[in-house]
Amino acid sequence: MILKQRVESKELRTFRALNARMSLLEKERNYCLNLEKGFVGELDFDLLVSQLSNEKYLALNDLIYDINSKVFQIDSLLISNNTVYLFEVKNYEGDFYIEKDRWYSVSDTEIQNPILQLQRAETLILRLLKEIGFSGIVRPFLIFINPEFHLYNAPRNPQIIFPSQLNRFVNELSFKMSGVTSHDRKISKHLLSLHLKESPYSRIPKYTYEQLNKGIYCPCCHTFFTESLVCSQCGYIEEYSGAIFRSIIEFNLLFPEERITTKAIWEWCGQVFPKKSIRNTLLSKFKMIGYGKSSYFIIKD
Ligand SMILES: [Zn+2]
């Protein structure tokens, strides 16, 4: 059973919006691309986990903790029968190699050693679990989810699961997981309550309202729509209400302090879409605060 669903992080959503509306530096674009790729890999992992029968485990996805000022993120935790399975999921693609415990991509670029990352997460989650009275064991795994991944000089480490081992791994997991205990439920609830909603270390670049291109862009290829909501690039067709709703959510994500008003959204959408459609979307999908000219909208709970 999934206790905490995986959703796109605020960092990823913000990067995606900024990438569409301003020119990012190359390293920022690459970082954004890595976030996108990482998220896709995690969804692929979720799909794999969904093969396990639902009542055998509790799943907590995308967790962030701060333990004595040490922040760490966890891609996935499965809890079953007094065992916490810790997963670090990597969506690496292409050839990689290891030399003297250091990891490199085939272009000789050094990458963070994912085994060390896993070990750090294991140490910290063990400390946290001990604090909340967990008495079982922790089993950490490094999952390489992309079938196009290859590692030269791969160590013989049972904690590393390569793409060709994934199906067998899930079968073994299914065999080992015998069900959820009341202690598992208690620990999961406690872990959920300690999770931070946002990472304190986000790499979002600074931006201002003026800097960003206004308008509504295609959700598929990020090309800005011109007069109609038909994408000139990929042919995607969108309805007014959906496109405007998306843009309002994005406006609020990038400028949470700004009031959502018809005028503000009309400007945000590039001043080309009818104010009436914007007003209607606001009235139907958001909550109005106040009356008359000073009224504004907030997101419904
Ligand atoms: Zn498009």
Side-chain angles (χ1 to χ4, degrees):
M1 191 177 113
I2 298 173
L3 282 190
K4 184 176 177 292
Q5 290 281 0
R6 194 181 304 286
V7 289
E8 292 158 332
S9 68
K10 190 176 167 191
E11 190 183 28
L12 171 57
R13 286 180 291 129
T14 307
F15 256 107
R16 202 182 272 161
L18 293 179
N19 196 22
R21 292 184 183 272
M22 66 187 269
S23 47
L24 296 175
L25 300 173
E26 198 189 333
K27 64 170 190 196
E28 292 165 348
R29 263 203 316 275
N30 285 339
Y31 182 72
C32 175
L33 211 69
N34 281 338
L35 287 180
E36 293 276 11
K37 220 170 167 185
F39 184 69
V40 170
E42 287 160 16
L43 291 181
D44 287 344
F45 177 70
D46 293 346
L47 205 65
L48 209 68
V49 168
S50 69
Q51 294 173 20
L52 297 167
S53 107
N54 217 6
E55 71 273 9
K56 282 191 171 176
Y57 65 89
L58 298 170
L60 301 170
N61 298 313
D62 286 330
L63 300 165
I64 306 172
Y65 293 109
D66 183 341
I67 300 178
N68 306 329
S69 304
K70 286 197 177 88
V71 174
F72 71 109
Q73 267 170 285
I74 292 173
D75 294 334
S76 222
L77 275 188
L78 298 186
I79 303 174
S80 174
N81 199 26
N82 286 324
T83 306
V84 169
Y85 297 87
L86 165 72
F87 298 102
E88 173 74 37
V89 181
K90 296 292 182 200
N91 193 10
Y92 295 166
E93 192 177 342
D95 296 330
F96 290 73
Y97 65 92
I98 301 179
E99 223 170 63
K100 292 177 187 155
D101 274 347
R102 291 172 163 237
W103 289 57
Y104 301 88
S105 71
V106 81
S107 59
D108 296 332
T109 313
E110 187 172 359
I111 58 160
Q112 259 197 329
N113 182 337
I115 298 177
L116 294 183
Q117 266 177 276
L118 181 72
Q119 284 169 352
R120 180 177 183 268
E122 183 192 3
T123 307
L124 293 169
I125 195 74
L126 269 168
R127 198 181 297 171
L128 179 67
L129 285 167
K130 202 177 161 199
E131 272 173 32
I132 63 175
F134 176 69
S135 54
I137 54 167
V138 173
R139 301 198 62 201
F141 291 101
L142 176 61
I143 304 284
F144 289 103
I145 196 77
N146 196 310
E148 296 300 320
F149 171 76
H150 181 75
L151 181 65
Y152 290 103
N153 315 330
R156 196 169 152 184
N157 180 342
Q159 289 181 345
I160 306 178
I161 309 300
F162 292 103
S164 56
Q165 299 174 305
L166 282 168
N167 285 330
R168 272 178 296 142
F169 175 70
V170 172
N171 284 340
E172 275 171 39
L173 214 55
S174 169
F175 186 68
K176 278 180 192 140
M177 287 180 166
S178 54
V180 176
T181 65
S182 58
H183 185 59
D184 294 338
R185 276 195 201 89
K186 204 177 119 211
I187 290 298
S188 309
K189 239 173 125 179
H190 210 141
L191 282 174
L192 256 185
S193 71
L194 294 171
H195 155 72
L196 305 179
K197 287 223 162 61
E198 268 175 48
S199 166
Y201 301 116
S202 130
R203 299 204 206 165
I204 296 166
K206 293 233 177 312
Y207 58 90
T208 61
Y209 181 84
E210 288 68 33
Q211 231 179 321
L212 304 183
N213 292 324
K214 313 300 181 296
I216 300 181
Y217 56 82
C218 168
C220 299
C221 70
H222 299 177
T223 303
F224 277 90
F225 290 122
T226 45
E227 291 115 59
S228 70
L229 294 180
V230 180
C231 179
S232 60
Q233 189 69 31
C234 74
Y236 182 83
I237 302 172
E238 202 172 13
E239 302 245 345
Y240 269 125
S241 64
I244 292 168
F245 178 76
R246 215 161 39 78
S247 305
I248 301 169
I249 296 293
E250 191 194 33
F251 175 74
N252 185 246
L253 169 75
L254 296 175
F255 304 101
E257 308 296 325
E258 292 292 324
R259 282 197 168 173
I260 302 171
T261 62
T262 309
K263 183 166 176 276
I265 299 305
W266 180 69
E267 283 173 6
W268 179 241
C269 293
Q271 309 185 3
V272 284
F273 299 97
K275 274 188 178 160
K276 207 180 157 206
S277 304
I278 292 171
R279 184 90 186 152
N280 285 344
T281 307
L282 282 168
L283 284 169
S284 66
K285 294 188 170 146
F286 293 80
K287 189 177 168 194
M288 191 160 93
I289 305 288
Y291 296 96
K293 285 204 164 160
S294 63
S295 66
Y296 61 97
F297 295 83
I298 58 169
I299 294 173
K300 282 182 184 169
D301 289 334

Coordinates of all heavy atoms in Angstrom, one line a residue, residues 218-223 225 231-236, ligand 1:
C218 N 2.9 25.4 -24.8 CA 2.4 24.1 -25.0 C 3.0 23.1 -23.9 O 4.1 23.1 -23.6 CB 2.8 23.6 -26.4 SG 2.6 21.9 -26.7
P219 N 2.1 22.3 -23.3 CA 2.6 21.5 -22.2 C 3.5 20.3 -22.7 O 4.2 19.7 -22.0 CB 1.3 20.9 -21.6 CG 0.3 21.0 -22.6 CD 0.6 22.2 -23.5
C220 N 3.4 20.1 -24.0 CA 4.2 19.0 -24.6 C 5.6 19.4 -25.0 O 6.6 18.8 -24.6 CB 3.5 18.4 -25.8 SG 1.9 17.7 -25.4
C221 N 5.6 20.5 -25.8 CA 7.0 20.9 -26.4 C 7.4 22.2 -25.9 O 8.5 22.7 -26.2 CB 6.9 20.8 -27.9 SG 5.9 22.1 -28.6
H222 N 6.6 22.9 -25.0 CA 7.0 24.2 -24.4 C 7.2 25.3 -25.4 O 7.8 26.3 -25.1 CB 8.3 24.0 -23.6 CG 8.1 23.1 -22.4 ND1 9.1 22.7 -21.6 CD2 7.0 22.4 -22.0 CE1 8.7 21.8 -20.7 NE2 7.4 21.6 -20.9
T223 N 6.6 25.2 -26.6 CA 6.5 26.3 -27.5 C 5.4 27.2 -27.1 O 4.3 26.7 -26.8 CB 6.3 25.8 -29.0 OG1 7.3 24.9 -29.3 CG2 6.2 26.9 -30.0
F225 N 2.1 29.4 -27.3 CA 0.9 29.5 -28.1 C 0.9 30.9 -28.6 O 1.3 31.8 -27.9 CB -0.4 29.2 -27.4 CG -0.5 27.7 -27.0 CD1 -0.7 27.3 -25.7 CD2 -0.6 26.7 -27.9 CE1 -0.8 26.0 -25.3 CE2 -0.7 25.4 -27.6 CZ -0.9 25.0 -26.2
C231 N -0.8 24.2 -30.9 CA 0.7 24.4 -30.9 C 1.2 24.4 -32.4 O 0.9 23.5 -33.2 CB 1.3 23.3 -30.1 SG 3.1 23.4 -30.1
S232 N 1.9 25.5 -32.7 CA 2.5 25.6 -34.1 C 3.6 24.6 -34.3 O 4.0 24.3 -35.4 CB 3.0 27.0 -34.3 OG 4.0 27.3 -33.4
Q233 N 4.1 24.1 -33.2 CA 5.3 23.1 -33.3 C 4.9 21.7 -33.4 O 5.3 21.0 -34.3 CB 6.2 23.4 -32.1 CG 7.5 22.7 -32.1 CD 8.5 23.3 -33.1 OE1 8.4 24.5 -33.4 NE2 9.3 22.4 -33.7
C234 N 4.0 21.3 -32.4 CA 3.7 19.8 -32.4 C 2.2 19.5 -32.6 O 1.8 18.4 -32.7 CB 4.1 19.2 -31.0 SG 3.1 19.7 -29.6
G235 N 1.4 20.6 -32.8 CA 0.0 20.3 -33.2 C -0.9 20.1 -32.0 O -2.1 19.8 -32.1
Y236 N -0.4 20.1 -30.8 CA -1.2 19.8 -29.6 C -2.3 20.9 -29.4 O -2.0 22.1 -29.7 CB -0.3 19.8 -28.3 CG -1.0 19.5 -27.0 CD1 -1.3 18.2 -26.7 CD2 -1.5 20.6 -26.2 CE1 -1.9 17.9 -25.5 CE2 -2.1 20.3 -25.0 CZ -2.4 19.0 -24.7 OH -3.0 18.7 -23.5
Ligands
ZN1 ZN 3.7 21.7 -28.7

